[in-house]
Amino acid sequence: MPQGSLPSQARPGGERGPGSCPARALRPDQAARTVPPGARLSNLRLTGLGGGLFCVVTMFLLGCADHFLFGGSLPLYGVLFLPVCALTALWVRDGDLLTAPVVVPIAFAVGLLPLAAGGGLLDRLMGLVTGLATQAGWLYGGALIACAFTLVRRVRWVRQRRRGRDV
């Protein structure tokens, strides 16, 4: 097979053969926009799975820290849950935005596992159910925060897309 008929990825050094398309030229409005090096890091977003893992792992670690440092204070756990909900809703990318309110209650339950009192499996399960029942206010508050941030971000995203389509 002659080297000119190979795709550019298969050729040594990736050089382009005769008749290949040149690199796509930038439009004038794209060329004017330059991104400073630090701006890329400030706009990092998590995928839906990444946001879920962030929330679940963070709440589990906070539950463990609460258990070992403060003896399992459920109000402290609830207070720590609220900023995690806000951060999860803020860090998820726009396309996966609706996953944030879904994962928040799951993370609350996972984080309660180290705080559930009891030695056996059934005792821990009963402690988990009791913790969910008695701390429902924190759970609803965190879910409400995640829903509010999600709703505001979603409305802004839809408006930006419409504005971009109208131009």
Side-chain angles (χ1 to χ4, degrees):
M1 183 183 271
Q3 189 172 355
S5 63
L6 289 175
S8 63
Q9 298 91 346
R11 285 190 221 116
E15 71 268 1
R16 296 184 175 272
S20 63
C21 296
R24 185 173 64 104
L26 292 177
R27 294 189 318 244
D29 62 325
Q30 287 178 330
R33 282 186 262 154
T34 58
V35 179
R40 291 179 189 225
L41 293 177
S42 66
N43 200 18
L44 286 178
R45 298 285 182 196
L46 297 172
T47 62
L49 179 61
L53 286 173
F54 163 75
C55 193
V56 168
V57 169
T58 302
M59 288 314 301
F60 183 76
L61 292 175
L62 287 175
C64 289
D66 184 14
H67 174 71
F68 290 120
L69 297 176
F70 301 105
S73 171
L74 290 176
L76 175 65
Y77 176 75
V79 168
L80 294 174
F81 175 65
L82 300 179
V84 173
C85 294
L87 288 175
T88 302
L90 287 174
W91 285 347
V92 173
R93 65 183 183 180
D94 292 336
D96 297 329
L97 197 53
L98 299 177
T99 60
V102 173
V103 76
V104 163
I106 297 167
F108 187 83
V110 169
L112 274 179
L113 288 174
L115 301 176
L121 179 65
L122 290 176
D123 290 338
R124 285 227 178 245
L125 184 62
M126 186 54 82
L128 178 65
V129 171
T130 303
L132 286 171
T134 59
Q135 302 304 311
W138 294 111
L139 176 61
Y140 292 144
L144 184 63
I145 287 172
C147 287
F149 278 94
T150 299
L151 183 63
V152 169
R153 284 191 58 207
R154 184 71 178 187
V155 167
R156 290 180 62 203
W157 182 67
V158 168
R159 285 185 181 168
Q160 285 177 349
R161 289 192 67 195
R162 282 188 184 158
R163 196 175 306 130
R165 194 174 352 137
D166 291 341
V167 172

Coordinates of all heavy atoms in Angstrom, one line a residue, residues 58-152:
T58 N -17.0 12.1 49.3 CA -16.9 13.2 50.3 C -17.8 13.0 51.5 O -17.3 13.1 52.7 CB -17.2 14.5 49.6 OG1 -16.3 14.7 48.5 CG2 -17.0 15.7 50.6
M59 N -19.0 12.6 51.3 CA -19.9 12.4 52.4 C -19.5 11.2 53.3 O -19.6 11.2 54.5 CB -21.4 12.3 51.9 CG -22.0 13.5 51.5 SD -21.7 15.0 52.5 CE -22.4 14.5 54.0
F60 N -19.0 10.1 52.6 CA -18.5 9.0 53.4 C -17.3 9.4 54.2 O -17.2 9.0 55.4 CB -18.2 7.8 52.4 CG -17.7 6.6 53.2 CD1 -18.7 5.8 53.8 CD2 -16.4 6.2 53.3 CE1 -18.3 4.6 54.5 CE2 -16.0 5.1 54.0 CZ -17.0 4.3 54.6
L61 N -16.4 10.1 53.7 CA -15.2 10.6 54.4 C -15.6 11.5 55.5 O -15.0 11.4 56.7 CB -14.2 11.2 53.5 CG -13.5 10.3 52.5 CD1 -12.6 11.0 51.6 CD2 -12.7 9.2 53.2
L62 N -16.6 12.4 55.3 CA -17.0 13.3 56.3 C -17.7 12.5 57.4 O -17.6 12.9 58.6 CB -17.9 14.4 55.8 CG -17.2 15.5 55.0 CD1 -18.3 16.4 54.3 CD2 -16.3 16.2 55.8
G63 N -18.5 11.5 57.1 CA -19.1 10.6 58.1 C -18.1 9.9 58.9 O -18.3 9.8 60.1
C64 N -17.1 9.4 58.3 CA -16.0 8.7 59.0 C -15.3 9.7 60.0 O -15.0 9.4 61.1 CB -15.0 8.1 58.1 SG -15.6 6.7 57.2
A65 N -15.0 10.9 59.5 CA -14.3 11.9 60.3 C -15.2 12.3 61.5 O -14.7 12.5 62.6 CB -14.0 13.1 59.4
D66 N -16.5 12.5 61.2 CA -17.5 12.8 62.3 C -17.5 11.7 63.3 O -17.5 12.0 64.5 CB -18.8 13.1 61.6 CG -19.8 13.6 62.7 OD1 -19.5 14.0 63.8 OD2 -21.0 13.5 62.3
H67 N -17.5 10.5 62.9 CA -17.6 9.4 63.8 C -16.3 9.3 64.7 O -16.4 9.1 65.9 CB -17.7 8.1 63.0 CG -17.7 6.9 63.9 ND1 -18.7 6.5 64.8 CD2 -16.7 5.9 64.0 CE1 -18.4 5.4 65.4 NE2 -17.2 5.0 65.0
F68 N -15.2 9.5 64.1 CA -13.9 9.3 64.9 C -13.6 10.6 65.7 O -13.0 10.5 66.8 CB -12.8 9.0 63.9 CG -12.9 7.6 63.4 CD1 -13.0 7.3 62.0 CD2 -13.0 6.5 64.2 CE1 -13.1 6.1 61.5 CE2 -13.1 5.2 63.8 CZ -13.2 5.0 62.4
L69 N -13.9 11.8 65.1 CA -13.4 13.0 65.8 C -14.5 13.5 66.8 O -14.2 14.1 67.8 CB -13.1 14.1 64.8 CG -11.9 13.8 63.9 CD1 -11.8 14.9 62.9 CD2 -10.7 13.6 64.7
F70 N -15.8 13.4 66.5 CA -16.8 14.0 67.3 C -17.8 13.0 67.8 O -18.9 13.3 68.3 CB -17.6 15.0 66.4 CG -16.7 16.1 65.9 CD1 -16.3 16.2 64.6 CD2 -16.2 17.1 66.8 CE1 -15.4 17.1 64.1 CE2 -15.3 18.1 66.3 CZ -15.0 18.1 65.0
G71 N -17.5 11.7 67.7 CA -18.4 10.7 68.3 C -19.7 10.5 67.5 O -20.7 9.9 68.1
G72 N -19.8 10.9 66.3 CA -21.0 10.6 65.5 C -22.1 11.7 65.7 O -23.3 11.3 65.9
S73 N -21.7 12.9 65.7 CA -22.7 14.0 65.8 C -23.5 14.2 64.5 O -23.0 14.6 63.5 CB -22.0 15.3 66.2 OG -22.8 16.4 66.1
L74 N -24.8 13.8 64.6 CA -25.6 13.9 63.4 C -25.9 15.3 63.0 O -25.9 15.6 61.7 CB -26.9 13.1 63.6 CG -26.7 11.6 63.6 CD1 -28.0 10.9 64.0 CD2 -26.1 11.0 62.4
P75 N -26.1 16.3 63.9 CA -26.3 17.7 63.4 C -25.1 18.2 62.7 O -25.2 18.9 61.7 CB -26.6 18.4 64.7 CG -27.2 17.4 65.6 CD -26.5 16.2 65.3
L76 N -23.9 17.9 63.2 CA -22.7 18.3 62.5 C -22.6 17.7 61.1 O -22.2 18.4 60.1 CB -21.4 17.9 63.3 CG -20.1 18.2 62.7 CD1 -19.9 19.7 62.5 CD2 -19.0 17.6 63.4
Y77 N -22.9 16.4 61.0 CA -23.0 15.8 59.7 C -23.9 16.5 58.7 O -23.6 16.7 57.6 CB -23.4 14.3 59.9 CG -23.5 13.5 58.6 CD1 -22.4 13.2 57.9 CD2 -24.7 13.2 58.1 CE1 -22.5 12.5 56.7 CE2 -24.9 12.6 56.9 CZ -23.8 12.2 56.2 OH -23.9 11.5 55.0
G78 N -25.1 16.9 59.3 CA -26.1 17.6 58.4 C -25.6 18.9 58.0 O -25.8 19.3 56.8
V79 N -24.9 19.6 58.9 CA -24.3 20.9 58.5 C -23.2 20.8 57.4 O -23.1 21.6 56.5 CB -23.7 21.7 59.7 CG1 -22.9 22.9 59.4 CG2 -24.9 22.1 60.7
L80 N -22.4 19.7 57.6 CA -21.4 19.5 56.6 C -21.9 19.0 55.2 O -21.3 19.2 54.2 CB -20.4 18.4 57.1 CG -19.5 18.8 58.3 CD1 -18.7 17.7 58.8 CD2 -18.6 20.0 58.0
F81 N -23.1 18.5 55.3 CA -23.8 18.0 54.0 C -24.2 19.1 53.1 O -24.1 19.0 51.9 CB -25.0 17.1 54.4 CG -25.8 16.7 53.3 CD1 -25.3 15.8 52.4 CD2 -27.2 17.1 53.2 CE1 -26.1 15.3 51.3 CE2 -28.0 16.6 52.2 CZ -27.4 15.8 51.2
L82 N -24.6 20.2 53.7 CA -25.1 21.3 52.8 C -24.1 21.9 51.9 O -24.4 22.1 50.7 CB -25.7 22.4 53.8 CG -26.8 22.0 54.7 CD1 -27.3 23.1 55.5 CD2 -28.0 21.4 53.9
P83 N -22.8 22.2 52.3 CA -21.9 22.7 51.3 C -21.5 21.7 50.2 O -21.2 22.1 49.1 CB -20.7 23.2 52.1 CG -20.9 22.7 53.5 CD -22.3 22.3 53.6
V84 N -21.5 20.4 50.6 CA -21.2 19.4 49.6 C -22.3 19.4 48.6 O -22.0 19.2 47.4 CB -21.0 18.0 50.3 CG1 -20.9 16.9 49.3 CG2 -19.8 18.0 51.3
C85 N -23.5 19.6 48.9 CA -24.6 19.6 48.0 C -24.4 20.8 47.0 O -24.6 20.6 45.8 CB -26.0 19.8 48.7 SG -26.4 18.4 49.7
A86 N -24.1 21.9 47.6 CA -23.9 23.1 46.7 C -22.7 22.9 45.8 O -22.8 23.2 44.6 CB -23.7 24.4 47.6
L87 N -21.6 22.4 46.3 CA -20.4 22.2 45.4 C -20.7 21.2 44.3 O -20.3 21.3 43.2 CB -19.2 21.7 46.3 CG -18.6 22.8 47.1 CD1 -17.5 22.2 48.0 CD2 -18.1 23.9 46.3
T88 N -21.4 20.1 44.7 CA -21.8 19.1 43.6 C -22.6 19.7 42.5 O -22.4 19.5 41.4 CB -22.6 17.9 44.3 OG1 -21.7 17.3 45.3 CG2 -22.9 16.9 43.3
A89 N -23.6 20.5 42.9 CA -24.5 21.2 41.9 C -23.7 22.2 41.1 O -24.0 22.5 39.9 CB -25.7 21.8 42.6
L90 N -22.7 22.8 41.7 CA -21.9 23.8 40.9 C -20.8 23.2 40.0 O -20.5 23.8 39.0 CB -21.2 24.8 41.9 CG -22.1 25.8 42.6 CD1 -21.3 26.5 43.7 CD2 -22.7 26.7 41.6
W91 N -20.3 22.1 40.4 CA -19.2 21.5 39.7 C -19.6 20.5 38.6 O -18.7 20.1 37.8 CB -18.2 20.8 40.6 CG -17.4 21.8 41.4 CD1 -17.2 23.1 41.1 CD2 -16.6 21.5 42.5 NE1 -16.4 23.7 42.1 CE2 -16.0 22.7 42.9 CE3 -16.3 20.3 43.2 CZ2 -15.1 22.8 44.0 CZ3 -15.5 20.4 44.3 CH2 -14.9 21.6 44.7
V92 N -20.8 20.1 38.5 CA -21.3 19.2 37.4 C -21.4 20.0 36.2 O -21.9 21.1 36.2 CB -22.6 18.5 37.8 CG1 -23.1 17.7 36.7 CG2 -22.4 17.6 39.0
R93 N -21.0 19.4 35.1 CA -21.0 20.1 33.8 C -22.5 20.3 33.3 O -23.4 19.6 33.8 CB -20.2 19.4 32.7 CG -20.7 18.1 32.3 CD -19.8 17.4 31.3 NE -20.3 16.1 31.0 CZ -19.8 15.3 30.1 NH1 -18.6 15.7 29.5 NH2 -20.3 14.2 29.8
D94 N -22.7 21.2 32.4 CA -24.1 21.6 32.0 C -24.9 20.4 31.5 O -26.1 20.3 31.7 CB -24.0 22.7 31.0 CG -23.5 24.0 31.6 OD1 -23.6 24.2 32.8 OD2 -23.0 24.8 30.8
G95 N -24.3 19.6 30.7 CA -25.0 18.4 30.1 C -25.5 17.4 31.1 O -26.5 16.7 30.9
D96 N -24.8 17.3 32.2 CA -25.1 16.3 33.3 C -25.7 17.0 34.5 O -25.7 16.4 35.6 CB -23.9 15.5 33.7 CG -23.3 14.7 32.5 OD1 -24.1 14.3 31.7 OD2 -22.1 14.5 32.5
L97 N -26.2 18.1 34.3 CA -26.7 19.0 35.5 C -27.8 18.3 36.3 O -27.8 18.4 37.5 CB -27.1 20.3 34.9 CG -27.2 21.4 35.9 CD1 -25.9 21.6 36.7 CD2 -27.6 22.7 35.2
L98 N -28.6 17.6 35.6 CA -29.8 17.0 36.4 C -29.4 15.8 37.2 O -30.3 15.3 38.0 CB -30.9 16.6 35.4 CG -31.4 17.8 34.5 CD1 -32.5 17.3 33.5 CD2 -32.0 18.8 35.5
T99 N -28.2 15.4 37.2 CA -27.8 14.3 38.1 C -27.5 14.7 39.5 O -27.5 13.9 40.4 CB -26.5 13.6 37.5 OG1 -25.4 14.5 37.4 CG2 -26.8 12.9 36.2
A100 N -27.2 16.0 39.7 CA -26.8 16.5 41.0 C -27.9 16.3 42.0 O -27.7 15.8 43.1 CB -26.4 18.0 40.9
P101 N -29.2 16.7 41.7 CA -30.2 16.5 42.8 C -30.5 15.0 43.0 O -31.0 14.6 44.1 CB -31.4 17.2 42.2 CG -30.9 18.1 41.2 CD -29.7 17.5 40.6
V102 N -30.1 14.1 42.1 CA -30.4 12.7 42.2 C -29.4 12.1 43.2 O -29.7 11.2 44.0 CB -30.4 12.0 40.9 CG1 -30.5 10.5 41.0 CG2 -31.6 12.5 40.0
V103 N -28.1 12.5 43.0 CA -27.1 11.8 43.7 C -26.9 12.3 45.2 O -26.4 11.6 46.0 CB -25.7 12.0 43.0 CG1 -25.1 13.3 43.1 CG2 -24.7 10.9 43.4
V104 N -27.4 13.5 45.5 CA -27.3 14.1 46.8 C -27.9 13.2 47.9 O -27.3 12.9 48.9 CB -27.8 15.5 46.8 CG1 -28.1 16.0 48.1 CG2 -26.8 16.4 46.0
P105 N -29.2 12.7 47.8 CA -29.7 11.9 48.8 C -29.0 10.5 49.0 O -28.9 10.0 50.1 CB -31.2 11.7 48.4 CG -31.5 12.7 47.4 CD -30.2 13.1 46.8
I106 N -28.5 10.0 47.8 CA -27.8 8.8 47.9 C -26.5 9.0 48.7 O -26.1 8.2 49.6 CB -27.5 8.3 46.5 CG1 -28.7 7.9 45.8 CG2 -26.5 7.0 46.5 CD1 -28.6 7.7 44.3
A107 N -25.8 10.1 48.5 CA -24.6 10.4 49.2 C -24.9 10.6 50.7 O -24.1 10.2 51.5 CB -23.9 11.6 48.6
F108 N -26.0 11.2 51.0 CA -26.4 11.4 52.4 C -26.5 10.0 53.1 O -26.0 9.9 54.2 CB -27.7 12.2 52.5 CG -28.0 12.6 53.9 CD1 -27.5 13.7 54.5 CD2 -28.9 11.8 54.7 CE1 -27.8 14.1 55.8 CE2 -29.3 12.2 55.9 CZ -28.7 13.3 56.5
A109 N -27.1 9.1 52.5 CA -27.3 7.8 53.1 C -26.0 7.0 53.2 O -25.7 6.4 54.2 CB -28.3 7.0 52.2
V110 N -25.1 7.1 52.2 CA -23.8 6.5 52.2 C -23.0 7.1 53.3 O -22.3 6.3 54.1 CB -23.1 6.5 50.9 CG1 -21.7 6.1 51.0 CG2 -23.9 5.7 49.8
G111 N -23.0 8.4 53.5 CA -22.3 9.0 54.6 C -22.8 8.7 56.0 O -22.0 8.8 56.9
L112 N -24.0 8.3 56.1 CA -24.6 7.9 57.4 C -24.1 6.5 57.8 O -24.3 6.2 59.0 CB -26.1 7.9 57.3 CG -26.8 9.2 57.6 CD1 -28.3 9.1 57.5 CD2 -26.4 9.8 59.0
L113 N -23.6 5.7 56.9 CA -23.2 4.3 57.3 C -22.2 4.3 58.4 O -22.3 3.5 59.3 CB -22.6 3.6 56.0 CG -23.7 3.2 55.0 CD1 -23.0 2.6 53.8 CD2 -24.7 2.2 55.6
P114 N -21.1 5.1 58.4 CA -20.2 5.1 59.6 C -20.8 5.6 60.9 O -20.4 5.3 61.9 CB -19.0 6.0 59.1 CG -19.2 6.3 57.7 CD -20.6 6.0 57.3
L115 N -21.9 6.4 60.7 CA -22.5 7.0 61.9 C -23.6 6.1 62.5 O -24.1 6.4 63.6 CB -23.1 8.4 61.6 CG -22.1 9.4 61.0 CD1 -22.8 10.6 60.6 CD2 -21.1 9.7 62.1
A116 N -24.0 5.1 61.8 CA -25.1 4.2 62.2 C -24.6 3.4 63.4 O -23.6 2.7 63.3 CB -25.6 3.3 61.1
A117 N -25.3 3.5 64.5 CA -24.9 2.8 65.7 C -25.2 1.3 65.6 O -26.2 0.9 65.0 CB -25.6 3.4 67.0
G118 N -24.5 0.4 66.2 CA -24.8 -1.0 66.2 C -23.6 -1.8 65.8 O -22.7 -1.4 65.1
G119 N -23.6 -3.1 66.3 CA -22.5 -3.9 66.0 C -22.7 -4.9 64.9 O -21.9 -5.2 64.1
G120 N -24.0 -5.4 64.7 CA -24.3 -6.3 63.7 C -24.9 -5.6 62.5 O -25.1 -4.4 62.4
L121 N -25.2 -6.4 61.5 CA -25.7 -5.9 60.2 C -27.1 -5.3 60.4 O -27.4 -4.2 60.0 CB -25.7 -7.0 59.2 CG -26.3 -6.6 57.8 CD1 -25.4 -5.6 57.2 CD2 -26.5 -7.8 56.9
L122 N -28.0 -6.0 61.1 CA -29.3 -5.5 61.4 C -29.3 -4.3 62.3 O -30.1 -3.4 62.1 CB -30.2 -6.6 62.0 CG -30.5 -7.8 61.0 CD1 -31.4 -8.8 61.7 CD2 -31.3 -7.2 59.8
D123 N -28.4 -4.2 63.2 CA -28.3 -3.1 64.1 C -27.9 -1.8 63.3 O -28.4 -0.7 63.4 CB -27.3 -3.3 65.2 CG -27.8 -4.3 66.2 OD1 -29.1 -4.5 66.3 OD2 -27.0 -4.9 67.0
R124 N -26.9 -2.0 62.4 CA -26.5 -0.9 61.5 C -27.6 -0.5 60.6 O -27.7 0.7 60.3 CB -25.2 -1.3 60.7 CG -24.0 -1.4 61.5 CD -22.9 -0.7 60.7 NE -21.7 -0.7 61.5 CZ -21.2 0.4 62.0 NH1 -21.6 1.6 61.8 NH2 -20.1 0.3 62.8
L125 N -28.3 -1.4 60.0 CA -29.4 -1.1 59.1 C -30.5 -0.3 59.9 O -31.0 0.7 59.3 CB -30.0 -2.4 58.5 CG -31.1 -2.2 57.5 CD1 -30.5 -1.4 56.3 CD2 -31.6 -3.5 57.0
M126 N -30.8 -0.7 61.1 CA -31.8 0.0 61.9 C -31.2 1.4 62.2 O -32.0 2.4 62.2 CB -32.1 -0.7 63.1 CG -33.2 -0.1 63.9 SD -34.7 0.2 62.9 CE -35.5 -1.4 63.0
G127 N -29.9 1.5 62.5 CA -29.3 2.8 62.8 C -29.4 3.7 61.6 O -29.6 4.9 61.7
L128 N -29.2 3.1 60.4 CA -29.2 3.9 59.2 C -30.6 4.4 58.9 O -30.8 5.6 58.6 CB -28.8 3.1 58.0 CG -28.8 3.7 56.6 CD1 -27.9 4.9 56.5 CD2 -28.5 2.7 55.5
V129 N -31.6 3.6 59.1 CA -33.0 4.0 58.9 C -33.4 5.1 59.9 O -34.1 6.1 59.6 CB -34.0 2.8 59.0 CG1 -35.4 3.2 59.0 CG2 -33.7 1.8 57.8
T130 N -33.0 4.9 61.2 CA -33.2 5.9 62.2 C -32.6 7.2 61.9 O -33.2 8.3 62.0 CB -32.8 5.4 63.6 OG1 -33.4 4.1 63.8 CG2 -33.1 6.4 64.7
G131 N -31.3 7.2 61.4 CA -30.6 8.4 61.1 C -31.3 9.1 59.9 O -31.4 10.3 59.9
L132 N -31.7 8.3 58.9 CA -32.4 9.0 57.8 C -33.7 9.6 58.2 O -34.1 10.7 57.7 CB -32.7 7.9 56.7 CG -31.5 7.5 55.8 CD1 -31.9 6.3 54.9 CD2 -31.0 8.7 55.0
A133 N -34.4 9.0 59.2 CA -35.7 9.5 59.6 C -35.5 10.7 60.5 O -36.3 11.7 60.4 CB -36.5 8.4 60.4
T134 N -34.5 10.7 61.4 CA -34.3 11.8 62.3 C -33.6 13.0 61.7 O -33.7 14.1 62.2 CB -33.6 11.4 63.6 OG1 -32.3 10.9 63.2 CG2 -34.4 10.3 64.3
Q135 N -32.9 12.8 60.6 CA -32.1 13.8 60.0 C -32.7 14.2 58.6 O -32.0 14.7 57.7 CB -30.7 13.4 59.8 CG -30.0 13.1 61.1 CD -30.0 14.2 62.1 OE1 -29.7 15.3 61.8 NE2 -30.4 13.9 63.3
A136 N -34.0 14.0 58.4 CA -34.7 14.2 57.2 C -34.6 15.7 56.8 O -34.6 16.1 55.6 CB -36.1 13.7 57.2
G137 N -34.6 16.6 57.8 CA -34.6 18.0 57.5 C -33.3 18.4 56.8 O -33.3 19.2 55.8
W138 N -32.1 17.9 57.3 CA -30.9 18.1 56.6 C -30.9 17.5 55.2 O -30.4 18.2 54.2 CB -29.7 17.5 57.4 CG -29.5 18.2 58.7 CD1 -29.7 17.6 59.9 CD2 -29.1 19.5 58.9 NE1 -29.4 18.5 60.9 CE2 -29.0 19.7 60.3 CE3 -28.7 20.6 58.1 CZ2 -28.6 20.9 60.9 CZ3 -28.3 21.8 58.7 CH2 -28.2 21.9 60.1
L139 N -31.5 16.4 55.0 CA -31.5 15.7 53.7 C -32.3 16.5 52.8 O -31.9 16.8 51.6 CB -32.1 14.3 53.9 CG -32.3 13.5 52.6 CD1 -31.0 13.3 51.9 CD2 -33.0 12.2 52.9
Y140 N -33.5 17.0 53.2 CA -34.4 17.8 52.3 C -33.7 19.2 52.0 O -33.8 19.7 50.9 CB -35.8 18.0 52.9 CG -36.6 16.7 53.0 CD1 -37.4 16.5 54.1 CD2 -36.5 15.8 52.0 CE1 -38.2 15.3 54.1 CE2 -37.3 14.7 52.1 CZ -38.1 14.4 53.1 OH -38.8 13.3 53.2
G141 N -33.1 19.7 53.0 CA -32.4 21.0 52.8 C -31.3 20.9 51.8 O -31.2 21.8 50.9
G142 N -30.5 19.9 51.9 CA -29.4 19.7 50.9 C -29.9 19.4 49.5 O -29.4 19.9 48.6
A143 N -31.0 18.6 49.5 CA -31.6 18.3 48.2 C -32.2 19.6 47.6 O -32.1 19.9 46.4 CB -32.7 17.3 48.3
L144 N -32.8 20.4 48.4 CA -33.3 21.7 48.0 C -32.2 22.7 47.5 O -32.4 23.3 46.4 CB -34.1 22.4 49.1 CG -34.9 23.7 48.8 CD1 -35.9 23.4 47.7 CD2 -35.5 24.3 50.0
I145 N -31.1 22.7 48.1 CA -30.0 23.5 47.7 C -29.5 23.0 46.3 O -29.3 23.8 45.4 CB -28.9 23.5 48.7 CG1 -29.3 24.3 50.0 CG2 -27.5 24.0 48.2 CD1 -28.3 24.2 51.1
A146 N -29.3 21.7 46.2 CA -28.9 21.2 44.9 C -29.9 21.5 43.8 O -29.5 21.8 42.7 CB -28.6 19.7 45.0
C147 N -31.2 21.3 44.1 CA -32.2 21.6 43.1 C -32.2 23.1 42.7 O -32.3 23.4 41.5 CB -33.6 21.2 43.6 SG -33.9 19.5 43.6
A148 N -32.0 24.0 43.7 CA -32.0 25.4 43.4 C -30.8 25.8 42.5 O -31.0 26.5 41.5 CB -32.0 26.2 44.7
F149 N -29.6 25.3 42.9 CA -28.5 25.6 42.1 C -28.6 25.0 40.7 O -28.2 25.6 39.7 CB -27.2 25.1 42.7 CG -26.6 26.0 43.8 CD1 -26.9 25.8 45.1 CD2 -25.7 27.0 43.4 CE1 -26.4 26.6 46.1 CE2 -25.2 27.8 44.4 CZ -25.5 27.6 45.7
T150 N -29.2 23.8 40.6 CA -29.4 23.2 39.3 C -30.3 23.9 38.5 O -30.1 24.1 37.3 CB -29.9 21.7 39.5 OG1 -28.9 21.0 40.2 CG2 -30.1 21.0 38.2
L151 N -31.4 24.4 39.1 CA -32.4 25.1 38.3 C -31.9 26.4 37.8 O -32.1 26.8 36.6 CB -33.7 25.4 39.2 CG -34.8 26.1 38.5 CD1 -35.4 25.2 37.4 CD2 -35.9 26.4 39.6
V152 N -31.1 27.2 38.6 CA -30.6 28.4 38.1 C -29.6 28.2 37.0 O -29.6 28.9 36.0 CB -29.9 29.2 39.3 CG1 -29.1 30.3 38.9 CG2 -31.0 29.6 40.3

